[in-house]
Amino acid sequence: MALAKADFTTRLLVDAGIGPGMRVLDVGCGSGDVSWLLAGLVGEDGAVVGIDRAAGALEVARQRESRKGAALPEFVAAELCALPAPLGLFDAIVGRRVLMYQADPVKALRALARCLLPGGLMIFQEHDGSLAPASQASFPLHHKAQQWLRRMLAHEGADLNIGFNLHRLFSEAALMVEDLRAECLVQTPDDAYPLGEIIRACLPRIIAHGVATARQVGIDTLQARLDAERLRSQDIYIGDIAFGICARKR
């Protein structure tokens, strides 16, 4: 039986060289998905620190169950551009969907680089809407749902085209780019994408920004309607493009 392919984030981190014994900082860690992934990669001899300014998300991250053989992450309330000095230096700094929200990404990268050891790694995953959503067939509900997300992100100040700018931003921050990759998130008639659940998680923000009302979204039936639209078509749908970049401190 074929082994399941690792997800984009895992492949990005492993290919960049994240491994046993490393000390890694996860910025904008939220509820800790990437932090706990890193904990397994660095093992018991490594260390992971996750920072975020959202106290509620950090509390959720702390409550997650640790795994045998993995580091136990530490979660700290902090601002990305004003890291507490006691955090010390790291072998690598990681972030996912973080730079796209920075008013000055180069300034943010330079601030973070001060917490890297010489030769340390800076690894970020960002999502870009320049070429997506894309399809040859009609997916009206999928497109509508994607537009809700895009308009929400725009209201929150996110750069929806950051993927195409990553090489320039890291270079301007005096970091040596070692790898830049992109991958389409492809949905087929046989493989669903949980767009409805993503909308559910974002629904309070969608409503708060006036992007759509709860009645317009119809969250309780949204995923089922998306699945029905997918199953009616024999075409593929690309809803998002993930960019990953790995650079090294000079």
Side-chain angles (χ1 to χ4, degrees):
M1 184 174 65
L3 295 176
K5 183 180 180 181
D7 65 274
F8 184 87
T9 305
T10 301
R11 285 182 278 117
L12 177 65
L13 296 174
V14 171
D15 291 349
I18 300 296
M22 296 180 72
R23 187 167 191 261
V24 184
L25 176 66
D26 177 20
V27 298
C29 66
S31 57
D33 289 347
V34 175
S35 299
W36 285 98
L37 169 59
L38 289 164
L41 295 176
V42 303
E44 292 177 320
D45 294 331
V48 176
V49 178
I51 66 158
D52 203 286
R53 61 184 179 184
L58 291 173
E59 191 55 37
V60 172
R62 294 186 185 105
Q63 298 304 315
R64 299 174 75 155
E65 187 175 352
S66 60
R67 302 195 313 270
K68 185 177 180 180
L72 181 62
E74 175 187 3
F75 293 100
V76 178
E79 292 286 342
L80 184 150
C81 289
L83 298 179
L87 287 182
L89 298 177
F90 296 86
D91 298 297
I93 296 178
V94 171
R96 184 167 71 178
R97 290 183 181 260
V98 173
L99 284 182
M100 62 191 296
Y101 287 104
Q102 303 306 308
D104 189 339
V106 174
K107 179 181 177 181
L109 288 169
R110 287 173 176 163
L112 290 173
R114 290 195 286 270
C115 297
L116 270 181
L117 288 164
L121 296 169
M122 190 84 75
I123 308 162
F124 275 83
Q125 176 182 332
E126 303 293 331
H127 289 244
D128 190 291
S130 302
L131 302 177
S135 61
Q136 292 189 336
S138 176
F139 286 83
L141 183 58
H142 282 73
H143 280 278
K144 181 182 290 186
Q146 290 285 353
Q147 285 303 311
W148 291 333
L149 292 176
R150 288 175 63 87
R151 290 173 58 198
M152 177 197 78
L153 291 170
H155 276 285
E156 295 175 348
D159 180 358
L160 298 176
N161 308 111
I162 193 168
F164 283 90
N165 295 319
L166 284 174
H167 192 282
R168 175 181 59 80
L169 295 172
F170 275 66
S171 298
E172 288 182 7
L175 295 162
M176 297 183 294
V177 176
E178 295 190 340
D179 179 39
L180 176 62
R181 61 181 67 180
E183 183 173 296
C184 295
L185 302 182
V186 179
Q187 175 181 284
T188 73
D190 302 318
D191 296 307
Y193 182 69
L195 180 56
E197 295 311 308
I198 294 172
I199 296 292
R200 182 186 295 276
C202 295
L203 187 59
R205 294 153 62 193
I206 290 171
I207 294 172
H209 292 304
V211 170
T213 66
R215 182 176 180 180
Q216 288 172 324
V217 174
I219 194 63
D220 290 336
T221 63
L222 180 59
Q223 187 62 55
R225 288 181 284 131
L226 288 165
D227 289 340
E229 185 174 80
R230 170 178 58 85
L231 292 170
R232 285 195 300 268
S233 175
Q234 291 302 307
D235 291 273
I236 67 168
Y237 177 83
I238 297 173
D240 203 356
I241 300 178
F243 277 75
I245 188 167
C246 172
R248 195 173 293 275
K249 184 176 180 178
R250 298 180 188 275

